[in-house]
Structure formats: structure tokens, C-alpha cells
Amino acid sequence: MSEKNLIVDKNKCVSCGLCVKDCVASALEFDENNKPSFGVNGENSCIKCQHCLAVCPVGAISILNKNPQDSEPIWSQNPDTILNLIKSRRSIRHYKPENIDEQTMHKLKNMLNWSPTGCNFHKLHFAFVEDKNVMDKIRTHVNTKLVKILSGKIVNAVTKKIAYYKDALINGEDIIFRGAPHMVVVSAPINSPCVNIDPVIALSYFELYAFSLGIGTCWCGFAQVCMQLFPELAQQMGIPDGYKVSYVMLFGIPDIHYQRTTQPEPFEMITVNDFNTAAKVSLTKRIKHFFVNGIR
Ligand SMILES: Cc1cc2nc3c(=O)[nH]c(=O)nc-3n(C[C@H](O)[C@H](O)[C@H](O)COP(=O)(O)O)c2cc1C
């Protein structure tokens, strides 16, 4: 049996060609019977996106041992509901001191499998802290270490701004993990085509779906820095070798409720109305683009 295992139900297939047309890798072509099959090298170029299975109007295509009948039907969504969800989501910094229920945890984890990845690389790694007691150990470990670091003479000499954080930590304020009972750390293989982007997309999906389930989340830049500062965290969270820790998201049952949406300042948005194909870019601008914009 081949790895991709493309099986076309010849009795169902209506030879509409949608699977051939939609294959991003041009891996499919019609065979002598006008049915889809892998072309020369098609099996190697297939990126396992399953578009062929998803697009077939009669459910005639199975690939990667997936039965099309096990896929879910596609619903039409109410855009207003989705927009309201996006507008209502807030960063949650007050949590109930309890674990979320197993079923909800399972739903959240399972949803992540549908997160898109560049070239369908699909090798993200998610490390979940599912038990508040474990989270409390991590919290205590990190906060204790940070107090020590922030109390150091050199650190104090460099910046006085950290006094607030130091005092807060000494006073037992969990300014890093915000009292959250759970967190998820996302990593991607360093050779992923989109190593810095895929994890962020996954967490964006995660926070919106979590919110729809009544679960609060908070992107945690502080925790991400701690993952880099304290290698024992990555080690004990089971981050595989060769993976880059991307980001951390806290989550749990919110202990705060918002009554209305916020009213953010608009981002800068422009409309590009034309494109001059003959325009030249000066050398200075090229250098600036490479060293300034490029690096960013
Ligand atoms: C990449 C990123 C990192 C963040 N890191 C932290 C953090 O370490 N601690 C925290 O309390 N909030 C953190 N936040 C939350 C932001 O402060 C928050 O999104 C912003 O204030 C707007 O509030 P809202 O998310 O409720 O709309 C982070 C948000 C993002 C997008």
C-alpha cells in the first residue's frame, strides 16, 4: 500500500475534474478511463492537504486512508456572529482557580489539528499544562527565579523600570502567568517553511474557539521570554529537539466578564490603486530596504 493511498471509487466518480483542478501540487491527472490518479511523480509532490477528498461532489475520493464519509458537512456561517466573537474576545487576566473540564480541554486540543501550516508542513508541537497543580509548580519555579534575577545588582543598575515587576513578584502577584490554571506552549520544527507564522495562526484559532466555549485566554509574551531564559522549562514541557518554542497562551475559566466590546483606534490601512512597472528603486532605498525593512 502506498503512503498516500489514493483510492477513487470509480462507480461514484463523475469525472468532473474538480480534484485535478484544485490540486495545489498538480499531483493528479485523469487516467485512460477519465478518472483521477497520481501522475508521474504525483505521489511525491502531494502535500497531503486532502483538497481532493474535500472538493469531490460525490465523496468518491479517499486519500491517506481517510473515508470521505467521516468528514463533516460544511455549514454556512453567520458573519455577524463571527464578527461579534472577534470583537468581544479579550485578554483574560483573572481566572477561576480550577481546571477546565476534560471535554472542553479535548475540544480545544482537537480543534488545533485544523490549523493551517505553510506548505501543509503540519508538524506543530503543543505542550499543554492541563492540571492547575502543575501550573502552580511552574508558576512558583519561574516567579522565584525571576525575583532572584530582578534583585541582582547588575539588573538594578541597568534599569530602574523593573522595580515595579520585582515588587509585584515579591508581593506574590502572578504578573507572568496571571493566575491561569492552564497554558499551552506551541513549537515548530526549525526547518518548517513558516516556523514563525504557523504557531501564531494556531494560537489565534485557539483563542477564538476557546472564547466561543466560555474559556478565556491570554497571549503571554512574558512566559515566552521565560521559556527562553530558563531552559529547564522547555525541557520539562517536553519540547522536542530541533523545535523552536514560538509562543505561550494562558487559558482557563474567566473570573471576569465584559459587558461590551472595545473601540480600538483604527490601524493604518491604505489602498494600492496602481502599480508602475517601470519605477526604479534608488540604491539608498534598496540598502535601507535590505537592512532595515528586511531585518524587521
Ligand atoms: C503577542 C502578544 C503578547 C502578549 N503578551 C502579554 C503578556 O505577556 N501579558 C499580558 O498580560 N498580556 C499580554 N498580551 C495581551 C495584550 O496586552 C492585549 O492583547 C492588549 O492589551 C489588548 O487587549 P485585548 O487582547 O483584551 O483586546 C499579549 C498580546 C499579544 C498579541
Side-chain angles (χ1 to χ4, degrees), residues 41-198:
N41 208 30
E43 183 154 5
N44 281 338
S45 39
C46 165
I47 64 163
K48 303 185 185 177
C49 66
Q50 300 184 33
H51 274 216
C52 49
L53 174 149
V55 79
C56 178
V58 291
I61 296 190
S62 159
I63 191 159
L64 301 158
N65 304 316
K66 312 287 181 194
N67 182 344
Q69 293 191 341
D70 293 337
S71 291
E72 290 166 37
I74 291 172
W75 301 343
S76 64
Q77 311 295 339
N78 180 337
D80 291 337
T81 309
I82 294 188
L83 184 60
N84 185 263
L85 178 85
I86 291 168
K87 288 182 176 178
S88 313
R89 174 220 58 84
R90 295 273 70 78
S91 294
I92 298 300
R93 301 189 182 89
H94 304 277
Y95 293 93
K96 293 217 182 335
E98 62 200 63
N99 289 338
I100 67 173
D101 66 85
E102 267 178 42
Q103 203 193 4
T104 306
M105 184 68 83
H106 172 76
K107 281 184 175 178
L108 283 168
K109 291 167 80 173
N110 188 40
M111 175 281 301
L112 285 166
N113 297 314
W114 276 266
S115 180
T117 53
C119 305
N120 203 33
F121 202 67
H122 206 75
K123 289 199 175 113
L124 291 175
H125 181 276
F126 298 92
F128 277 88
V129 178
E130 297 185 40
D131 183 352
K132 183 184 172 292
N133 294 327
V134 178
M135 196 66 206
D136 286 341
K137 284 186 183 172
I138 296 172
R139 210 184 315 273
T140 307
H141 178 82
V142 169
N143 290 352
T144 310
K145 283 189 98 164
L146 281 176
V147 169
K148 263 196 198 147
I149 293 174
L150 296 180
S151 304
K153 280 192 186 124
I154 300 175
V155 177
N156 271 313
V158 174
T159 172
K160 293 212 157 46
K161 276 193 189 156
I162 52 144
Y164 161 76
Y165 295 104
K166 189 175 79 179
D167 292 348
L169 284 166
I170 288 171
N171 291 333
E173 259 184 70
D174 183 15
I175 53 166
I176 308 295
F177 300 103
R178 306 285 181 188
H182 307 293
M183 71 174 175
V184 53
V185 180
V186 195
S187 321
I190 44 181
N191 65 342
S192 306
C194 300
V195 58
N196 295 322
I197 308 298
D198 296 341

Side-chain angles (χ1 to χ4, degrees), residues 89-93 175-176 178 207 218-223 247 250 258 262:
R89 174 220 58 84
R90 295 273 70 78
S91 294
I92 298 300
R93 301 189 182 89
I175 53 166
I176 308 295
R178 306 285 181 188
E207 70 168 346
C218 190
W219 293 84
C220 197
F222 276 148
Y247 230 81
L250 310 170
Y258 297 95
T262 57

Side-chain angles (χ1 to χ4, degrees), residues 9-54:
D9 184 332
K10 306 244 160 56
N11 294 323
K12 280 188 183 168
C13 173
V14 290
S15 302
C16 66
L18 281 175
C19 54
V20 176
K21 176 181 167 187
D22 198 46
C23 179
V24 64
S26 300
L28 297 179
E29 59 185 35
F30 278 132
D31 65 14
E32 62 283 2
N33 301 314
N34 223 19
K35 303 293 177 195
S37 67
F38 278 131
V40 180
N41 208 30
E43 183 154 5
N44 281 338
S45 39
C46 165
I47 64 163
K48 303 185 185 177
C49 66
Q50 300 184 33
H51 274 216
C52 49
L53 174 149

Side-chain angles (χ1 to χ4, degrees), residues 196 285-296:
N196 295 322
K285 279 217 167 133
R286 276 173 199 270
I287 292 170
K288 183 172 170 252
H289 181 80
F290 183 80
F291 284 106
V292 181
N293 302 350
I295 285 171
R296 276 192 299 164

